[in-house]
Amino acid sequence: GTPGAADMVLSVAASEPALLTGPALNVGSNTFALGTASFGPPLSSEITLPLAFAGTSTTTNVACASVGVDLTDKAGVADRGGCAFVSKAQNIQAAGGDLALIVNNAPGGPPGLGGSGPVSIPTLSISLDDGNVVKAAMAAGSVTGQFLPRADLPNVIGGLNLSDQIAGFSSRGPTQNLNAIKPEITAPGVNIYLADVGTGTGGEAVSGTSFSSPLTAGAAALVFSQRPDFAPWEVKAALMNTANPDVFQNKAAGTFA
């Protein structure tokens, strides 16, 4: 879209980073990256809680109605699907839960949880693969989780670091007017940890080209600092011609973007 479709503009895609910075969950010797929610309070300090299924099943609990179990002083674990994220958090909260953890239902990293509504407990997400590991441990016996407000973890899914894989939300293709191929370059734009406005010292992991573009603008500023005689198109060319050409649509399949 405009202005990114303009011929002389450097358009920036969003790609996966090598590290995920944000909340994390320690279970035994394993540490799992977590996603954040746009509703409810952030996880502002470390908290240790017993993990409990948000329902009567040891496999899948969507928590779209009363969970039917007492979650007092526990972290309720629910599965994605069937209703809004806010509804799941509210039902876990109503059962006495101190924290809601939502397991993704599709491959990939921990999703951001959108929505709005009255929720007074932290709500976090975990990837499908990691969530299945946690749920298997819960089904086998009592499990306590240590929730950390911030950690730096490799962006690994299925043993593969997703660095340089284009984000699923990042658009691409020829422009409508000139059929120019856009975007021309990418930078990390997934799970970027930023200051959470209004929280004082809190942070939030967010995604979008709104975050990969400023990173590229910073790189352009460095080029300008060394070559103040460059025209804008020369800065654009310098960035494009020195960028890593190995950018993946699907890194696991070896498919280039």
Side-chain angles (χ1 to χ4, degrees):
T2 301
D7 185 46
M8 295 303 293
V9 169
L10 179 62
S11 304
V12 184
S15 55
E16 296 275 353
L19 288 176
L20 296 177
T21 301
L25 169 63
N26 286 335
V27 175
S29 61
N30 295 316
T31 302
F32 305 106
L34 302 178
T36 58
S38 61
F39 53 86
L43 181 67
S44 57
S45 60
E46 181 182 314
I47 183 172
T48 300
L49 294 168
L51 304 184
F53 291 106
T56 57
S57 172
T58 58
T59 55
T60 302
N61 296 280
V62 293
C64 290
S66 174
V67 300
V69 294
D70 183 11
L71 297 177
T72 301
D73 298 328
K74 298 176 182 177
V77 179
D79 294 276
R80 184 177 186 176
C83 61
F85 297 126
V86 171
S87 298
K88 298 175 188 292
Q90 289 172 333
N91 290 328
I92 290 172
Q93 178 179 305
D98 286 353
L99 183 147
L101 180 64
I102 298 175
V103 180
N104 202 8
N105 60 358
L113 306 178
S116 61
V119 175
S120 59
I121 60 173
T123 304
L124 302 165
S125 68
I126 190 170
S127 72
L128 176 62
D129 288 348
D130 291 347
N132 285 339
V133 172
V134 172
K135 290 196 295 181
M138 293 168 60
S142 298
V143 174
T144 297
Q146 180 188 36
F147 292 88
L148 308 174
R150 181 177 176 182
D152 293 318
L153 299 174
N155 186 11
V156 173
I157 299 294
L160 179 69
N161 194 302
L162 298 184
S163 174
D164 298 326
Q165 176 175 294
I166 293 292
F169 59 78
S170 194
S171 61
R172 56 183 292 211
T175 59
Q176 292 181 350
N177 52 353
L178 299 175
N179 289 322
I181 300 301
K182 293 281 185 171
E184 298 97 341
I185 201 167
T186 188
V190 176
N191 202 259
I192 305 301
Y193 197 75
L194 304 175
D196 190 2
V197 176
T199 63
T201 59
E204 181 181 9
V206 291
S207 300
T209 53
S210 296
F211 312 105
S212 57
S213 294
L215 290 174
T216 306
L222 292 175
V223 174
F224 260 127
S225 71
Q226 295 299 308
R227 296 299 299 268
D229 56 319
F230 268 16
W233 69 266
E234 291 177 299
V235 176
K236 175 180 176 179
L239 291 173
M240 291 175 62
N241 290 331
T242 55
N244 179 7
D246 293 338
V247 179
F248 297 88
Q249 185 70 28
N250 185 320
K251 195 168 184 180
T255 306
F256 288 101

